[in-house]
Amino acid sequence: MGGLAVAALLLLADQEIAAALLVLAAVFMGYWTSPLRAGRHEPFTQALARRDDAHAIILWAPGDPLSARLQTAVRGDREDVAWVNVLRDPCAVEFLEAHGGRGALPLVVVGSTVLRRATASQYLEAKAEGEQRAAAAG
């Protein structure tokens, strides 16, 4: 909403190109953080079946800014990451509630490690440690 308000001010100042670019950016960000955006999803029980030190399970929710940041950082279809949309999976909600509730999103699980409100750097660190444990065990 703030971006649209600034775009209106830019229009009043005869800055049509800047206003148009700001409107596009505001609409995209509104979509990206919207609960209406479906995003990637794998059923939580299916993701848990692959739970190990070399695989990450990321519980996220549309509309959650930290989840959106992590999705931006961890891009593409990856075999070593399962994205679980908690709004679409009651089992994931149950697991999330046991680890701090909605305020813990995004919740990253790598093997036995569980990270609440995980950042991209925390995810990468946990993933590297998990891969080291998997290599040492295998």
Side-chain angles (χ1 to χ4, degrees):
M1 294 304 289
L4 296 177
V6 172
L9 291 175
L10 287 171
L11 277 175
L12 291 174
D14 293 325
Q15 299 293 321
E16 291 86 9
I17 294 173
L21 292 174
L22 190 55
V23 166
L24 287 174
V27 168
F28 174 75
M29 290 308 296
Y31 163 75
W32 187 254
T33 59
S34 169
L36 301 175
R37 185 176 66 86
R40 293 175 266 181
H41 175 68
E42 179 176 326
F44 187 60
T45 53
Q46 183 179 330
L48 276 179
R50 298 189 300 150
R51 182 178 184 178
D52 65 25
D53 287 329
H55 186 264
I57 302 169
I58 303 174
L59 278 67
W60 70 283
D64 178 62
L66 294 177
S67 294
R69 281 189 204 145
L70 191 58
Q71 282 185 324
T72 300
V74 184
R75 296 184 199 146
D77 292 329
R78 299 175 52 146
E79 292 296 319
D80 61 337
V81 178
W83 291 92
V84 180
N85 180 341
V86 296
L87 298 183
R88 295 175 56 190
D89 197 318
C91 294
V93 171
E94 207 174 291
F95 186 84
L96 181 63
E97 290 299 325
H99 290 89
R102 182 107 183 201
L105 289 174
L107 188 75
V108 174
V109 181
V110 179
S112 61
T113 303
V114 178
L115 302 170
R116 297 175 40 183
R117 298 180 57 84
T119 63
S121 61
Q122 290 171 324
Y123 157 79
L124 290 171
E125 186 176 308
K127 193 79 170 72
E129 288 173 3
E131 288 171 354
Q132 287 175 350
R133 285 192 304 266

